Amino acid sequence: MAAVKASEVRGDPPLLRAAELARVVAGEGAGIPSADLAGILVSNLCFAHNSPSLWKLVGQAMASRLLCPLNVLALLTPRVLPQRRAQPEAYRLYLELIKCNVTSPSLFMEAGPNRDKITKSIADALQLLKNYGYCGTEFGHVVIMFVLALVTKLIDSILEDCGFPSGMAEGQESVYAIEGPQPMDLDVKKVPTENQNEHREQLRRKNTVMALDVLHMMVADRKIQSFLRLIFLNMPEKFSSLSQRLSSIEAHKVALETLLPSGHKINDLLIDIQKVCNANYQPNNKHIVDVLGNMRSGGSLLGQLTGAGRAACWIIFDIYVENAIDGKHLSGISAIEVLKEVTKTLQVLNEASWQETFKALWISALRLVQRAREPLEGPIPHLDARLCMLLALIPLSVAAILKEESDMFGAEGSKILPRRQGLISSLQDLIQYSGLLVPPSSVVNAANSAASKAAIFKSNYNAGVVNSSMVAQIDSSTKAVGNMLHLIIEACISRNLIDTSAYLWPGYVVSSGPLKDTTLPQESPWLNFIKGAPLSGPLIDALVATPASSVGELDKLYNIAANGSEEEKTAAAKILCGASLVRGWNIQEHVVGMVVKLLLASLPSDSSTSTPGSINHYLAQMSTLNEILLGLSYGDAIHILSLYGTVPDVAAALMPLCEAFGSIAPPPNHKSTILGETSVYSVFSCAFLCLLRLWKFYRPPQEYCLAGRGGSVRMELTLDYLLLMRNNRIDLSNSSAPSRDSYDNMGSVNEVPAQPVYIDSFPKLRAWYFQNQACIASTLSGLCNKNPVHQVANKILSMICRKMNKGGISSGNLSSASSSSVSGSSVSASDDSFQRPAFPAWEFLEAVPFVLEAVLTACAHGRFSSRDLTTSLRDLVDFLPASLAAIVSYFSAEITRGIWKPVPMNGIEWPSPGAV
């Protein structure tokens, strides 16, 4: 305090005074934030040295992290609230501190080396033991109890200041019980004048209004709501004190709304608190993982949030796997590498055993799969990508971690090294989490098959049969109920992380009677394939639907895809991109590598896309390419490739395909692109749309975006950045001999001769790329009649408006609504030959934005109904599916400009969506 007063005499600004304070604290050897410093400053502030300069110093010390904000507010609350009538200035400054800090992540900052002392200081100040019977010492728990106490006491203060009872149970003390009189600054001041009294009375009324505003802001915050939800679910008897206050507010609601200028917020306040009691309330835990992520608190109270009773220090696993599975943000880096480094880092930071670390990793992935049952957004849960994370990527990352250990210590006979022993123990611990191990319906048969395999092994072992080949036999009399653990164990065994002794673990095999609603294991079609059965229709369908079980099966298939006849190549490509790619978890990294190699191998040796020889080469490969691209177009296939870090390689392979097939005109009789039929338009559209899925092509070009008030930077992939990553990998592979671990098991993509790829090598793709960016950035400029794009656009308009032409609407009428739109003449609806443009895809795509502007303008002027507009766009997409890219870019840009009127789905012009 001597240092504080000396700094004040010198007239130092608050920041300099806080720096001086930090110097003194450091000299005393106390850690920061300091609980003792908070107690000294608050005790002098209330109210021996109650001055504006000291309030400013406290605020600066909180902002500078010299003081824990939560600790300061907890110390101020029992001192200021009982004196709010006598000390309205102090009450006002107290409310300002709450307003600035209570919804900020800085309020819940890590308590540092004085964690235990700060926790005890908060609990003692709020009298948590006396008021709530809480005697815990966990910082995370105390944070949540602080929220409950503060909300409750602010409600009491507002009710009492408005002249109403607070709604406390009989016998409870008002606001806070303070032992002994509090010194007040009025004792040392002159007697206030009448004007001062009036000013202070006005300040008291304003304080009541501000208290309501602060309270409303608090309970509207999703973090605060999540904390209240935890208390409601886990400590209902503690939540009852808040329920009593809500009843009192409800009883005096009309009077409060009349007395307070912001009384309309009373209703919002009640709704926000009451909705956390709703059984359907789903808090967004992503908003509070940063809050609880550093609290290292893992008791039952936080179990509702973090799951499975795990400590919150492992929450980073949940954050990463959830972000990795977000299909809107594909990554160019292998998830195997990231998981390996994150796992090793957290094991060190948390000072945890490998058993704890691996267990936390497995549970995070299991929770990820369980969340697919009720997707929060959209009808596609991305289950296959989630299963890929659990059953392929995590085992591969664990394998990399174990390999580092074995390389470091070498093989020491049969001794099991610590990391491998930790893995085994973590897998054995998973048996107890039956709720997390329930398999999704689509993998029940696979889980039962894995469990039956273990049951057969155990039965043979108990009978003294030691022939390992017996395990592979299917014994329909031996059945077992499987779960996700059986699939995890199979994934680990297939990668030599553990051996088949896992089948003998206690509780691992659960015998069963007849299995309901499941299919008994059948002989794998891959056995027939390996024995030499020809790739006929039924066998192809069976192989597409059944994942391969060994690398040997894949090698034979890949050899056919690379060197077989045209028909065999097409069949092999279709099989490779089927279930083996999506759900062949035990060999998935090999399938991914082979698919990328096939794409790269399909390119001509001279890397040209415009010479007659290269065009003929692409046309000869068209059927095989069509099957590969159709396989990649499946919902999660591209996402799975991105998880293996192959996005840059895939982009480099797709670009020449797009350039070549987009330069070839379709046959004149082409009417629509039908799924399953191979055509120039179908191959181009699949390749083009797959390429566009790799980055956010419909957003303005930028290297990064700022998200949130904190200004966090999130890198976004762009086509230029993908090519830069790919070319950098080529340089690294040429300059350094060994490749990264994540590629060692992926068929070595780099075996294919690779040269740097630049967008300038593809002039037509480059022209569309820049046109797309210009379309997003600004409105379209007009076209003159002599422009070739004008002719293409008119033919497209004639095609998509042919149905409306019967009613007298022509392409010329459509375009006359806008001077910047294309114009043309009316075309007879019956003359279908002139309504089907046969242009190369690049020319078609170049004209689509102008067509969209024309029909949208006509729709806005009432010459075209919104339903007819959408029907016409559907015809456009049926004709050239790649048009969807231009539609998405153009409409996304126009929506942000806010020019067009919204079209309601009113059930009249549009059918009601509820009936569909």
Side-chain angles (χ1 to χ4, degrees):
M1 286 308 299
V4 168
K5 292 175 183 178
S7 181
E8 184 176 3
V9 170
R10 292 194 301 268
D12 294 340
L15 182 59
L16 204 58
R17 297 173 64 194
E20 175 66 14
L21 205 58
R23 185 188 63 80
V24 174
V25 172
E28 295 292 332
I32 293 176
S34 171
D36 294 334
L37 178 61
I40 293 171
L41 291 179
V42 171
S43 63
N44 279 272
L45 193 61
C46 303
F47 294 91
H49 299 92
N50 184 19
S51 64
S53 62
L54 190 53
W55 278 97
K56 290 180 181 178
L57 176 60
V58 170
Q60 184 63 57
M62 292 168 65
S64 303
R65 305 298 188 265
L66 292 176
L67 303 177
C68 175
L70 197 73
N71 190 17
V72 174
L73 292 178
L75 292 170
L76 285 172
T77 299
R79 290 172 167 85
V80 174
L81 283 182
Q83 303 295 338
R84 64 186 183 281
R85 300 290 298 172
Q87 298 283 355
E89 297 86 357
Y91 185 38
R92 179 59 172 239
L93 294 171
Y94 164 76
L95 291 174
E96 291 285 358
L97 284 179
I98 295 179
K99 186 177 181 180
C100 294
N101 289 278
V102 77
T103 59
S104 169
S106 64
L107 178 67
F108 311 106
M109 60 180 284
E110 172 64 39
N114 295 318
R115 172 196 193 89
D116 295 338
K117 187 178 289 188
I118 289 176
T119 302
K120 186 177 186 303
S121 174
I122 296 171
D124 291 345
L126 298 178
Q127 300 181 23
L128 296 181
L129 178 59
K130 177 180 179 181
N131 293 326
Y132 297 101
Y134 178 77
C135 57
T137 58
E138 288 286 350
F139 184 63
H141 296 182
V142 171
V143 167
I144 297 176
M145 298 306 298
F146 166 85
V147 169
L148 176 64
L150 186 58
V151 170
T152 302
K153 299 311 172 183
L154 284 177
I155 292 177
D156 288 347
S157 299
I158 293 170
L159 288 172
E160 290 178 359
D161 290 345
C162 291
F164 301 111
S166 62
M168 294 179 294
E170 186 176 350
Q172 284 186 310
E173 297 168 338
S174 174
V175 185
Y176 274 101
I178 304 296
E179 297 181 4
Q182 291 292 325
M184 299 166 53
D185 61 348
L186 289 179
D187 296 338
V188 296
K189 292 182 179 179
K190 296 180 180 180
V191 177
T193 64
E194 185 176 342
N195 289 338
Q196 288 174 325
N197 281 332
E198 183 179 352
H199 169 74
R200 300 189 103 199
E201 188 58 38
Q202 289 179 354
L203 185 57
R204 292 184 187 101
R205 290 194 292 268
K206 291 180 180 178
N207 285 347
T208 304
V209 175
M210 185 174 181
L212 177 59
D213 292 341
V214 170
L215 184 61
H216 177 264
M217 178 186 68
M218 286 182 62
V219 298
D221 184 76
R222 295 301 299 272
K223 296 187 293 292
I224 303 296
Q225 290 178 4
S226 296
F227 291 159
L228 294 176
R229 174 72 170 178
L230 289 176
I231 297 174
F232 172 75
L233 293 175
N234 295 278
M235 307 172 72
E237 69 284 357
K238 307 294 187 293
F239 193 85
S240 63
S241 63
L242 182 57
S243 300
Q244 295 170 4
R245 271 71 173 184
L246 296 183
S247 300
S248 185
I249 291 178
E250 193 75 52
H252 303 290
K253 177 180 174 183
V254 176
L256 287 170
E257 290 176 343
T258 303
L259 287 172
L260 300 174
S262 57
H264 62 279
K265 294 182 179 179
I266 293 291
N267 191 53
D268 295 338
L269 177 70
L270 291 171
I271 293 174
D272 286 333
I273 298 180
Q274 289 169 349
K275 74 180 180 182
V276 304
C277 307
N278 192 323
N280 296 325
Y281 175 72
Q282 292 290 335
N284 188 346
N285 291 338
K286 283 188 176 181
H287 285 281
I288 57 175
V289 290
D290 287 335
V291 175
L292 295 177
N294 291 325
M295 290 182 179
R296 298 172 181 267
S297 176
S300 60
L301 184 61
L302 291 181
Q304 181 70 19
L305 177 68
T306 55
R310 293 176 295 131
C313 55
W314 300 112
I315 199 72
I316 192 65
F317 281 146
D318 296 89
I319 297 173
Y320 173 72
V321 296
E322 189 65 48
N323 285 340
I325 231 66
D326 183 358
K328 298 186 292 295
H329 300 282
L330 299 183
S331 173
I333 302 173
S334 170
I336 302 169
E337 293 292 324
V338 178
L339 283 169
K340 182 184 78 170
E341 297 303 325
V342 169
T343 303
K344 290 162 55 182
T345 302
L346 287 183
Q347 190 268 340
V348 174
L349 290 179
N350 295 333
E351 299 178 355
S353 65
W354 282 107
Q355 176 184 351
E356 294 172 308
T357 305
F358 287 138
K359 178 181 175 181
L361 181 60
W362 290 120
I363 290 179
S364 293
L366 284 167
R367 286 168 51 81
L368 180 74
V369 172
Q370 293 301 323
R371 284 195 289 272
R373 296 175 181 275
E374 298 179 1
L376 298 177
E377 186 175 318
I380 302 174
H382 298 291
L383 177 60
D384 289 325
R386 295 170 187 265
L387 291 169
C388 166
M389 177 66 73
L390 171 66
L391 300 175
L393 297 173
I394 287 181
L396 286 170
S397 65
V398 171
I401 293 173
L402 299 187
K403 185 176 184 297
E404 286 185 352
E405 183 183 45
S406 61
D407 291 344
M408 185 182 306
F409 296 102
E412 300 181 15
S414 59
K415 181 180 179 182
I416 300 178
L417 296 175
R419 293 184 183 181
R420 192 176 300 273
Q421 183 59 56
L423 171 64
I424 295 172
S425 299
S426 70
L427 292 171
Q428 292 172 335
D429 284 349
L430 291 181
I431 295 177
Q432 62 185 304
Y433 296 103
S434 56
L436 288 176
L437 295 175
V438 176
S441 57
S442 58
V443 296
V444 167
N445 286 334
N448 288 341
S449 178
S452 298
K453 179 180 177 181
I456 294 171
F457 178 93
K458 185 175 182 179
S459 176
N460 291 338
Y461 180 84
N462 292 336
V465 178
V466 295
N467 186 356
S468 59
S469 63
M470 294 291 294
V471 178
Q473 296 181 8
I474 300 299
D475 182 0
S476 59
S477 64
T478 304
K479 310 182 186 72
V481 176
N483 56 34
M484 295 307 297
L485 179 59
H486 295 96
L487 294 177
I488 293 173
I489 294 297
E490 288 302 314
C492 291
I493 291 176
S494 69
R495 292 181 172 86
N496 297 318
L497 304 183
I498 57 177
D499 57 33
T500 52
S501 63
Y503 295 153
L504 306 177
W505 290 347
Y508 180 71
V509 175
V510 179
S511 299
S512 169
L515 300 179
K516 297 181 179 179
D517 300 324
T518 60
T519 303
L520 291 176
Q522 302 294 326
E523 186 177 75
S524 171
W526 288 93
L527 293 177
N528 295 330
F529 171 70
I530 289 295
K531 292 175 182 178
L535 288 177
S536 59
L539 180 59
I540 292 174
D541 293 339
L543 294 176
V544 168
T546 307
S549 58
S550 69
V551 178
E553 296 167 350
L554 290 177
D555 287 338
K556 180 176 180 179
L557 184 67
Y558 180 79
N559 185 57
I560 295 175
N563 306 309
S565 65
E566 185 62 31
E567 196 172 311
E568 289 177 332
K569 286 182 178 180
T570 302
K574 181 177 181 179
I575 295 168
L576 198 60
C577 295
S580 295
L581 173 62
V582 179
R583 295 200 172 180
W585 306 298
N586 298 342
I587 41 84
Q588 195 171 52
E589 67 273 21
H590 300 280
V591 184
V592 169
M594 291 176 180
V595 169
V596 176
K597 283 172 64 178
L598 277 181
L599 274 178
L600 293 172
S602 67
L603 307 182
S605 57
D606 60 358
S607 301
S608 174
T609 58
S610 57
T611 63
S614 63
I615 294 296
N616 291 333
H617 173 83
Y618 283 118
L619 290 176
Q621 300 276 340
M622 190 162 65
S623 297
T624 303
L625 287 171
N626 190 62
E627 293 298 339
I628 296 175
L629 295 171
L630 280 177
L632 296 185
S633 299
Y634 169 77
D636 273 1
I638 284 290
H639 196 172
I640 289 172
L641 291 181
S642 78
L643 292 174
Y644 282 94
T646 63
V647 164
D649 296 302
V650 172
L654 291 175
M655 289 173 66
L657 298 180
C658 294
E659 184 75 12
F661 284 98
S663 304
I664 306 172
N669 61 348
H670 176 78
K671 291 188 176 182
S672 66
T673 302
I674 302 173
L675 183 65
E677 291 187 4
T678 303
S679 67
V680 170
Y681 271 7
S682 69
V683 175
F684 171 79
S685 294
C686 281
F688 187 62
L689 294 178
C690 283
L691 177 64
L692 295 191
R693 286 181 62 187
L694 304 183
W695 89 97
K696 289 185 171 55
F697 67 96
Y698 52 87
R699 287 190 178 178
Q702 54 189 14
E703 294 183 3
Y704 63 87
C705 63
L706 297 179
R709 296 179 64 183
S712 59
V713 177
R714 174 160 191 163
M715 296 299 296
E716 296 287 1
L717 294 182
T718 65
L719 185 56
D720 303 300
Y721 182 60
L722 287 174
L723 294 180
L724 184 64
M725 289 182 66
R726 200 256 180 178
N727 294 340
N728 185 52
R729 284 183 182 177
I730 294 175
D731 292 339
L732 288 177
S733 63
N734 291 337
S735 61
S736 58
S739 60
R740 296 182 305 175
D741 290 340
S742 64
Y743 290 100
D744 288 346
N745 295 325
M746 291 178 56
S748 210
V749 173
N750 293 327
E751 289 177 8
V752 179
Q755 297 295 328
V757 177
Y758 304 97
I759 194 171
D760 291 338
S761 303
F762 311 103
K764 295 183 179 180
L765 174 60
R766 180 180 181 274
W768 176 88
Y769 186 58
F770 288 118
Q771 183 202 26
N772 182 68
Q773 292 181 349
C775 177
I776 294 172
S778 62
T779 55
L780 296 173
S781 60
L783 282 178
C784 63
N785 290 340
K786 295 182 181 180
N787 193 310
V789 181
H790 168 270
Q791 301 174 10
V792 179
N794 269 333
K795 285 187 176 290
I796 297 174
L797 279 171
S798 299
M799 178 188 70
I800 66 175
C801 301
R802 65 188 186 280
K803 296 178 182 177
M804 277 56 71
N805 284 344
K806 296 178 181 179
I809 300 177
S810 71
S811 57
N813 291 333
L814 282 174
S815 58
S816 62
S818 171
S819 60
S820 66
S821 300
V822 296
S823 61
S825 59
S826 176
V827 179
S828 169
S830 61
D831 193 0
D832 192 65
S833 61
F834 292 99
Q835 295 175 359
R836 300 290 182 182
F839 298 102
W842 288 122
E843 297 180 23
F844 197 99
L845 286 179
E846 184 182 8
V848 169
F850 299 97
V851 173
L852 297 176
E853 186 191 31
V855 294
L856 194 60
T857 303
C859 183
H861 284 75
R863 300 184 181 183
F864 210 36
S865 73
S866 60
R867 186 174 183 181
D868 288 339
L869 165 65
T870 306
T871 303
S872 300
L873 296 182
R874 175 58 186 266
D875 291 340
L876 178 62
V877 173
D878 283 343
F879 187 74
L880 178 63
S883 303
L884 191 62
I887 295 173
V888 169
S889 288
Y890 179 81
F891 282 175
S892 296
E894 292 302 312
I895 287 172
T896 61
R897 295 182 184 115
I899 300 173
W900 309 98
K901 297 178 181 178
V903 178
M905 300 277 282
N906 51 23
I908 301 172
E909 180 182 358
W910 281 89
S912 173
V916 189

